[in-house]
Amino acid sequence: MEVISTKNLKKEYKGSGFSKERITALKNFSFTVNEGDIFGLLGPNGAGKTTLVKILLGIVYPTEGDASIFGESIKNEKYKTKIGYLPENHKFPNYLTGEQVLHYFGMLSGLSNAQVKSRSDEYLKIVDMEKWKKTKIKKYSKGMMQRLGIAQAMINEPDLIFLDEPTDGVDPIGRKEIRDILIGLKDKGKTIFLNSHLLSEIELICNKVAILNKGELIKEGTIDEITSTGNKHVFTTSDLSDDVINILLNQYFATLHGKNEFIVNSDSAESLNTVIDILRKNNVNILSLTKEKNTLENMFINLIEQQN
Amino acid sequence: MIFKTIISGVIKEAIAKKIFIGFFILSTLIILGFLAFVGFDSVEGIATMAGDDIKQLVIGFEGFMLGVSYLLLITFCLIGVSSIIPSMLEKGNVDLLLSKPVSRGQIILGKFTGGLLLIFLSLVYLIGAVWLIVSIKFGYWNPTFLMSIIMLTFSFAVIYSLVIFIGITTQSSVLSIIINIFLIFLICPLLANRETVLFQFITNNVVQFIINFFYYVLPKPSDLQTITVKIISGEKIDSWQPVVTSALFLITFLSASIYIFKKKDY
Ligand SMILES: Nc1ncnc2c1ncn2[C@@H]1O[C@H](COP(=O)(O)OP(=O)(O)O)[C@@H](O)[C@H]1O
Ligand SMILES: [Mg+2]
């Protein structure tokens, strides 16, 4: 089932001050997220990720286009009871304690007093914040704030959770903890929409990824699809003789990396096997053969550089 | 349910920011000062007074208290509620609020109602206490004095609608305090007495028309206070115009705030 779908979304902001120039934060953006997806939206700062999430939540209005959540237009507020949201750099009223934050925002999500009370401890436990629940949040560290923020986003047991840069400003251990919480959510079958400029984050937990740059969707797919480079095969071998190198270069247009590694582009098993035959005939030992994969990071950097 | 949460949120914020306690202390000081003042009065003098004189005295006291508390109160309330909207609009806070299943109109109305409730409860304490003291002391119970709680709350609601409007458009609490103090203590009293003061110097018809225009359009705290005093002393009210035009001001600015809030990106 489609949980989120957008059609030709466009967002222009008014420029700052008196300038008439308008900032285009999102261009012709269409995509879908399905039930159970852990969807990662990746892009450099200023790409338009937050803008997209805010449009989906009715915080910012699209200049053009339309979006629907749970199959209904976002113009109708009802879907918001089934949504959790952790804003980027969220700022809860700092005179509240952790527990009171959950209570206040839980009630605002439409829960009853009794529901909030009974769930509050459960979710504080999930994010490991139980022992801090009576402490005013102005004393919390950034990591603790993020964990509380995630508990806040879960308290109404939403079907869809938006997390905008959930690990921003959090130390590596805190990051790992947050990641574990998200993996826990994934195992519960929740649909998660994650905004991040951190690739490792997305690579570790998302099953679908979209890359956004300057408001444009430049690539979308599963992590495998995005990182796959087509049909490049990497051979590592014993030392290659000059003869073999010549054949590889002239007949197979291989790319050589020293005497023990080369890459060939082959689109069929047959042509790949003829390369293997040649190597074997020339007494070259094949140490390993893998399909080349880009890391998401390489992919990302390449794509962004191509655009700029 | 969600609407109620927004209202109680305002009250909790006021408690956390010590607005309530500040109000309580200020009111208590006024009450104690009043108690001391009333205590000094010679009891024999009063004992010899006839019923009607006591009634006049009580109403006189009540009217005087209203005048004293009014200025202190309005200023304090103004400072108290001026940060409600700006703090709500802070980045990272407003986003989360707007992601909740509640309409933007309800959010503003909730903040409005919460602020009024705050003022109302504080007035009940102050006016209620003054009323009890005067009544017990002089043995004359004038329940219409309690009407001033409603009138003062209304008077404040008018100001508060402007505070909300300035908060939504500029996100500045200082600006709303300055503009409102300027209005309440300078512009509005001048406009209310335009015929006896301003028109002595200004004889040009066009300028007089413009001044009249502003008088009718702007809130009328001074006139409302005069009406309140008349209500508690049982005098006839010549014109309800200040109440009606102030109510229109309130409705206009509250609606405009909601309209602008609904349109904006956050
Ligand atoms: N309220 C706003 N007014 C004007 N410009 C904005 C506003 N919010 C975001 N922008 C601009 O829109 C672009 C996208 O911003 P944003 O969605 O926050 O990107 P990201 O979350 O990917 O870092 C940026 O150029 C940013 O400066
Ligand atoms: Mg962002």
Side-chain angles (χ1 to χ4, degrees):
Chain A
M1 194 189 93
E2 279 182 6
V3 173
I4 307 175
S5 85
T6 71
K7 227 168 128 190
N8 302 327
L9 277 185
K10 178 177 174 188
K11 178 64 194 175
E12 282 181 349
Y13 287 111
K14 273 204 218 75
S16 55
F18 296 104
S19 109
K20 280 246 167 66
E21 208 179 322
R22 293 172 72 83
I23 301 160
T24 308
L26 220 50
K27 280 178 224 165
N28 211 6
F29 192 93
S30 306
F31 85 129
T32 54
V33 173
N34 293 317
E35 197 174 352
D37 276 351
I38 311 294
F39 191 95
L41 184 62
L42 199 58
N45 287 325
K49 306 182 294 293
T50 300
T51 299
L52 176 66
V53 168
K54 285 186 171 181
I55 289 176
L56 293 175
L57 290 168
I59 302 164
V60 153
Y61 301 109
T63 313
E64 277 171 31
D66 201 6
S68 57
I69 288 185
F70 306 130
E72 279 187 54
S73 166
I74 54 170
K75 286 181 188 108
N76 180 349
E77 242 131 55
K78 237 177 52 200
Y79 72 96
K80 292 183 181 177
T81 47
K82 292 187 283 174
I83 276 187
Y85 174 41
L86 174 70
E88 184 178 28
N89 303 319
H90 59 80
K91 206 167 169 215
F92 302 135
N94 68 2
Y95 48 82
L96 297 177
T97 64
E99 199 174 41
Q100 287 167 337
V101 166
L102 286 195
H103 188 265
Y104 180 58
F105 288 103
M107 297 283 287
L108 283 181
S109 293
L111 297 183
S112 70
N113 203 14
Q115 277 172 319
V116 178
K117 286 224 164 96
S118 69
R119 285 183 201 170
S120 167
D121 280 347
E122 178 190 342
Y123 283 97
L124 284 168
K125 196 168 179 178
I126 291 177
V127 299
D128 198 17
M129 286 293 294
E130 247 185 331
K131 53 181 177 297
W132 298 99
K133 68 179 181 183
K134 302 273 184 211
T135 307
K136 290 239 162 79
I137 60 166
K138 59 179 141 205
K139 296 196 178 139
Y140 283 11
S141 70
K142 179 85 192 182
M144 288 159 76
M145 282 299 272
Q146 290 300 89
R147 271 162 26 212
L148 179 67
I150 294 172
Q152 175 279 133
M154 295 193 293
I155 186 125
N156 56 331
E157 304 193 332
D159 297 330
L160 169 62
I161 304 180
F162 291 92
L163 303 163
D164 199 348
E165 312 272 4
T167 58
D168 205 26
V170 178
D171 64 39
I173 294 174
R175 270 190 195 164
K176 163 98 174 58
E177 286 169 354
I178 290 173
R179 229 163 27 228
D180 290 344
I181 297 170
L182 298 187
I183 289 168
L185 282 175
K186 175 181 179 173
D187 294 341
K188 280 190 180 168
K190 304 274 180 189
T191 310
I192 302 179
F193 187 103
L194 184 68
N195 263 0
S196 184
H197 63 272
L198 297 171
L199 300 123
S200 51
E201 210 89 334
I202 289 209
E203 202 157 18
L204 283 169
I205 45 183
C206 295
N207 63 349
K208 287 256 182 71
V209 188
I211 296 179
L212 188 65
N213 189 35
K214 294 180 178 164
E216 274 180 291
L217 184 64
I218 52 180
K219 195 132 191 157
E220 192 192 356
T222 63
I223 297 241
D224 282 344
E225 282 164 8
I226 286 204
T227 52
S228 143
T229 54
N231 299 302
K232 288 189 179 160
H233 294 86
V234 187
F235 286 83
T236 20
T237 57
S238 58
D239 287 353
L240 298 168
S241 65
D242 289 348
D243 287 347
V244 178
I245 286 175
N246 276 334
I247 297 170
L248 288 173
L249 285 179
N250 296 331
Q251 290 179 23
Y252 295 94
F253 309 108
T255 318
L256 260 84
H257 296 156
K259 275 201 162 198
N260 299 94
E261 189 181 306
F262 65 93
I263 297 170
V264 282
N265 210 341
S266 80
D267 48 12
S268 68
E270 226 169 287
S271 69
L272 193 64
N273 277 297
T274 52
V275 177
I276 295 172
D277 289 343
I278 290 164
L279 293 176
R280 297 301 298 137
K281 234 187 263 167
N282 289 283
N283 294 326
V284 177
N285 283 328
I286 300 171
L287 304 178
S288 75
L289 169 56
T290 51
K291 203 164 174 181
E292 190 192 54
K293 263 203 174 170
N294 233 326
T295 61
L296 192 54
E297 180 156 351
N298 276 337
M299 185 65 213
F300 180 66
I301 291 170
N302 286 342
L303 279 170
I304 303 292
E305 274 177 353
Q306 270 169 33
Q307 272 219 329
N308 293 350
Chain B
M1 203 61 190
I2 299 178
F3 187 64
K4 248 169 67 190
T5 307
I6 293 176
I7 296 175
S8 64
V10 174
I11 304 288
K12 282 180 189 152
E13 182 177 342
I15 294 172
K17 290 186 175 166
K18 312 267 190 294
I19 292 169
F20 243 141
I21 188 86
F23 207 100
F24 180 76
I25 292 172
L26 182 74
S27 302
T28 307
L29 284 177
I30 297 177
I31 293 167
L32 287 178
F34 181 62
L35 208 51
F37 181 71
V38 171
F40 291 141
D41 206 43
S42 74
V43 182
E44 296 99 279
I46 294 170
T48 60
M49 278 182 174
D52 239 21
D53 289 337
I54 290 199
K55 184 179 162 190
Q56 286 311 315
L57 184 73
V58 166
I59 289 168
F61 266 130
E62 287 171 347
F64 167 73
M65 276 315 291
L66 214 58
V68 172
S69 15
Y70 186 75
L71 301 180
L72 281 169
L73 231 80
I74 282 263
T75 316
F76 193 84
C77 295
L78 184 61
I79 295 169
V81 297
S82 66
S83 67
I84 291 178
I85 296 291
S87 76
M88 171 187 93
L89 291 181
E90 273 180 56
K91 257 199 161 30
N93 188 18
V94 66
D95 343 21
L96 190 54
L97 186 60
L98 294 180
S99 77
K100 301 296 179 188
V102 53
S103 76
R104 295 190 184 197
Q106 275 192 315
I107 293 175
I108 298 289
L109 288 178
K111 298 279 176 185
F112 180 72
T113 315
L116 281 195
L117 192 62
L118 188 73
I119 303 307
F120 179 77
L121 292 177
S122 311
L123 284 171
V124 166
Y125 173 67
L126 175 65
I127 304 284
V130 168
W131 180 66
L132 278 179
I133 293 169
V134 176
S135 305
I136 291 171
K137 173 96 190 167
F138 301 107
Y140 175 77
W141 298 77
N142 177 22
T144 46
F145 179 53
L146 296 178
M147 272 299 288
S148 61
I149 297 177
I150 307 288
M151 284 303 286
L152 280 182
T153 306
F154 171 71
S155 195
F156 188 76
V158 179
I159 306 279
Y160 188 30
S161 69
L162 183 60
V163 171
I164 290 185
F165 181 78
I166 297 171
I168 291 287
T169 45
T170 68
Q171 215 186 319
S172 157
S173 55
V174 178
L175 195 66
S176 48
I177 293 174
I178 293 174
I179 292 182
N180 276 292
I181 288 198
F182 196 62
L183 270 180
I184 297 165
F185 293 104
L186 187 69
I187 306 289
C188 295
L190 265 183
L191 288 175
N193 299 304
R194 65 202 179 289
E195 274 159 16
T196 50
V197 182
L198 292 179
F199 293 173
Q200 303 298 321
F201 316 102
I202 300 160
T203 45
N204 183 315
N205 277 341
V206 178
V207 180
Q208 284 196 354
F209 177 83
I210 292 171
I211 290 173
N212 275 327
F213 172 79
F214 277 109
Y215 166 74
Y216 286 111
V217 166
L218 290 175
K220 296 162 195 67
S222 330
D223 290 355
L224 290 178
Q225 201 192 349
T226 313
I227 290 183
T228 310
V229 172
K230 282 188 175 169
I231 291 177
I232 62 175
S233 55
E235 278 175 54
K236 197 173 156 291
I237 316 288
D238 324 313
S239 161
W240 289 96
Q241 170 275 120
V243 175
V244 176
T245 50
S246 295
L248 286 176
F249 180 90
L250 187 161
I251 293 168
T252 309
F253 274 83
L254 203 56
S255 317
S257 305
I258 292 174
Y259 180 79
I260 292 170
F261 189 50
K262 271 182 185 277
K263 291 266 158 192
K264 264 195 175 178
D265 289 334
Y266 286 95

